[in-house]
Amino acid sequence: MSNNFLNTPIEYLKSVGPQKADLLKKELRIFNYSNLLSYYPFRYVDRTKFYKVNEINADLPFVQLRGKIMHTEMVGVKRTMRFVATFTDGTGKLELVWFQGAKWIAEKIKPHLTNEYVIFGKPSVFGSKFNIAHPEIELATEENTTFAPALQAVYHSTDKLKGRSMDTKGIVRIQKMLSSLIKNNIPETLSKTIIDRYQLMSREDAMKQIHFPQNPELLKKAEFRLKFEELFFIQLKLLKQKGLREKTYRGFIFSKVGDYFNGFYNEYLPFELTNAQKRVIKEIRLDMGSGKQMNRLLQGDVGSGKTLVALMNMLIALDNGFQASLMAPTEILANQHFETISELLIPLDIKVGLLTGSKKTKERRLLHEQLLSGELQILIGTHALFEDTVQFKNLGLVVIDEQHRFGVAQRAKMWSKNTQPPHVLIMSATPIPRTLAMTLYGDLDVSVIDELPPGRKPISTTHRFDNHRDRVFGFMREQIALGRQIYIVYPLIKESEKMDFKDLQDGYESIVRAFPQPKYQVSIVHGQLKADAKEYEMQRFVKHETQIMVATTVIEVGVNVPNASVMVIESAERFGLSQLHQLRGRVGRGADQSYCILMTSHKLGADGKLRMETMCRTNDGFEIADVDLKLRGPGDMAGTVQSGVLDLNIADLAKDAQILHTARNMVIELLSEDADLKNLENAPIAYHFSMMNSNRTNWSRIS
Ligand code: ADP
Ligand code: MG
């Protein structure tokens, strides 16, 4: 099975000289034939259909038209100068507009009574008229009006490449050249069983069809094949990792549930557990008793009570003579976990410690000693827990409360604290969609809390424009008169973002004016405050000495004030969905009806509108996460960091859930039959897999 063809350096391709090759490498990371073949189009255009001007509406995507230019003129001066051509096909008129390259295009396009042009672009409404900005335009010829292929690929390019005539057309040219060389030289990467079972197109055909589809059906099959393959190999990597880990490491066996757990459960539990909490605690307990080393993701909506689940399982570790540790993403959150948990555990006489970056050396040293002697049973902290100097006597369970996905390497570091790795429970701070979880955390088992504690009233969410602030203030006064407290949140202050700080300051001043002392008291908290000042301001709010807390997103995590029942989010359009949801989760914790008010300016893009609508429509974090995934794509979602598994080349986690499930199930079945991929039939899979992993920098593109 030779890969010579696919490994051929790109400069060997006819018409790609050394200079173009250099650019292709630098700009698109295309080094060889395989890379070029895997440089897929990002869309296709149907060039068989010609629209009529009178058929056009603003909802149409790209359209192709054929007609004449009646009139052209240069409009505006200097920076606003643009070239406008009036186009007609007999059914109506349309303006074509060029803002850039106006002079050049003016040379090229002349009004003419007989010459016909073919134009292509996306129509938009301008007043009562339609126009197309920067359309593709060329003289109508026999070729572009009759022989155009059904679907034409469109490729992303870069300015530098375009400068070397490597725009989408240029890329089509070299793809065509390469495509003509394909002949029984693209090896299959999947087994015959798999190909037959899902009736997959062969890899070779898929590589041809994806660039030059003969018809929409074949394109669909090619896409399916390539998406399946991509997801299949990612799942294979994750599940092989999981299998390897299970084979290599044995887990501590937590065989019993003892006095700590039972004592707490029977006598000190502050409330009845929800059924979901009970089920999940049991799942985790069974896993930790199985002899396997647990690696589990705990998912649950904001406020679903993950902390308590973590605590109950830490008690099981203690019951079996082990230590447990809980790691939080921020210092505020670590503090809060420490306070909650210490308080709950007072009657049980369990020693709990807190380790954060701001601990003094002396305190630290003491903690280190107590950890090593085993005197300290539970350690709560931030990243500081990862430091090498932190050594445990016998760490049995690590719980990681994640805001962003930690790298696998970071988690592995936690293991090195023992000769045998502890059980690991990862809690995600906000819900993530299933497809994302399966990819990002695909090497973990999953538990889901799908129920909120009883008595929570759904938070009522509304969207208001800035000019309605007076009415919002009025509502706030009513709520304060009822004895409630209110958060007002502004976008985050970073050192560089002076604007944000100004917004916050201005906002604070206008609030103080609208809510004057002594009747009203206002706290203010932001990232530039010193820790003790921050703490002081927070405490005033916690103790109900202030009714309003003006803050940046530092309150996103860590504040728990059940009496606060109104969350006003300023410039809400500047927040992502999961962040909005997380912020909203700060209210609705008490018995009172809670409210979330999203303030935005009138200038709101389509995305912003959808985000506000989604927040107003639902309180379900999983549903919100799904919309977020559709809007932003996996790479940009909060709570994830760029990671190799999300570098998808063709599959789309927002759209291809079904293919992902199929691929994952197929991998599970495959590994259960042939864990080491030793069967002859699976040789193509094994070979491709080893090739991918031997080139880590670019593995998604290697064939
Ligand atoms: P999250 O899942 O967002 O981390 P927390 O663990 O912080 O949620 O819990 C949110 C709030 O709900 C806390 O104040 C906690 O005490 C409370 N809580 C947790 N479980 C229950 C329950 N079963 N019944 C009532 N309240 C609960
Ligand atoms: Mg939490």
Side-chain angles (χ1 to χ4, degrees), residues 271-274 277 301-307 453 456 560 589:
F271 23 62
E272 175 77 8
L273 294 177
T274 62
Q277 283 173 316
D301 206 343
V302 179
S304 62
K306 293 186 286 286
T307 317
R456 297 265 170 91
N560 192 8
R589 297 188 160 221

Side-chain angles (χ1 to χ4, degrees), residues 614-657:
T614 306
M615 287 296 293
C616 294
R617 188 187 72 235
T618 179
N619 275 296
D620 179 342
F622 284 95
E623 196 181 330
I624 289 169
D626 271 334
V627 177
D628 204 17
L629 177 62
K630 293 211 168 78
L631 276 179
R632 297 208 276 171
D636 288 336
M637 282 189 63
T640 69
V641 290
Q642 284 295 349
S643 90
V645 289
L646 286 180
D647 241 346
L648 296 177
N649 197 16
I650 185 163
D652 177 346
L653 292 180
K655 291 187 193 138
D656 298 324

Side-chain angles (χ1 to χ4, degrees), residues 307-325:
T307 317
L308 201 60
V309 169
L311 174 62
M312 303 285 294
N313 286 294
M314 292 201 280
L315 292 179
I316 295 177
L318 267 53
D319 273 335
N320 287 273
F322 288 89
Q323 293 164 299
S325 176

Side-chain angles (χ1 to χ4, degrees), residues 306-307 333 337 401 427 429:
K306 293 186 286 286
T307 317
L333 195 53
H337 278 322
D401 198 358
M427 308 196 286

Side-chain angles (χ1 to χ4, degrees), residues 285-427:
R285 176 169 62 76
L286 292 178
D287 206 3
M288 295 190 304
S290 70
K292 267 189 349 185
Q293 182 239 343
M294 177 174 78
N295 275 281
R296 188 170 280 272
L297 172 69
L298 174 59
Q299 280 237 67
D301 206 343
V302 179
S304 62
K306 293 186 286 286
T307 317
L308 201 60
V309 169
L311 174 62
M312 303 285 294
N313 286 294
M314 292 201 280
L315 292 179
I316 295 177
L318 267 53
D319 273 335
N320 287 273
F322 288 89
Q323 293 164 299
S325 176
L326 168 61
M327 196 176 82
T330 64
E331 195 153 333
I332 297 180
L333 195 53
N335 280 322
Q336 163 134 17
H337 278 322
F338 176 71
E339 272 160 31
T340 319
I341 288 177
S342 315
E343 198 173 307
L344 285 170
L345 295 185
I346 288 171
L348 290 185
D349 195 23
I350 289 173
K351 207 156 161 36
V352 186
L354 174 68
L355 181 65
T356 60
S358 60
K359 279 266 150 153
K360 305 236 160 58
T361 321
K362 218 165 123 194
E363 289 176 292
R364 237 169 231 260
R365 210 168 286 145
L366 187 65
L367 275 179
H368 290 170
E369 279 165 23
Q370 294 175 334
L371 276 178
L372 210 51
S373 73
E375 191 187 336
L376 200 61
Q377 292 156 289
I378 293 179
L379 180 65
I380 294 168
T382 52
H383 281 71
L385 296 185
F386 279 137
E387 285 164 19
D388 292 332
T389 44
V390 183
Q391 293 292 331
F392 293 77
K393 179 171 179 235
N394 59 354
L395 180 61
L397 169 65
V398 177
V399 181
I400 303 178
D401 198 358
E402 280 192 349
Q403 198 172 23
H404 298 282
R405 174 83 162 102
F406 285 125
V408 175
Q410 272 176 308
R411 274 194 275 140
K413 216 168 167 187
M414 214 62 211
W415 302 355
S416 68
K417 303 205 169 293
N418 283 355
T419 40
Q420 202 178 330
H423 296 298
V424 178
L425 182 68
I426 292 168
M427 308 196 286

Side-chain angles (χ1 to χ4, degrees), residues 561-575:
V561 181
N563 190 52
S565 63
V566 181
M567 167 66 66
V568 180
I569 304 176
E570 290 284 347
S571 305
E573 68 270 35
R574 289 178 55 189
F575 293 90

Side-chain angles (χ1 to χ4, degrees), residues 21 46 70 82 105 148 209 277 374 414 466 469 571 581 600 644:
D46 187 349
M70 300 160 62
R82 58 196 189 273
I105 203 83
Q209 291 294 334
Q277 283 173 316
M414 214 62 211
D466 290 340
R469 186 166 278 108
S571 305
H581 181 61
T600 73

Side-chain angles (χ1 to χ4, degrees), residues 193-206:
T193 313
I194 295 177
I195 289 174
D196 288 350
R197 170 147 3 144
Y198 301 107
Q199 298 181 0
L200 298 176
M201 183 180 265
S202 76
R203 186 160 210 259
E204 178 154 315
D205 287 344

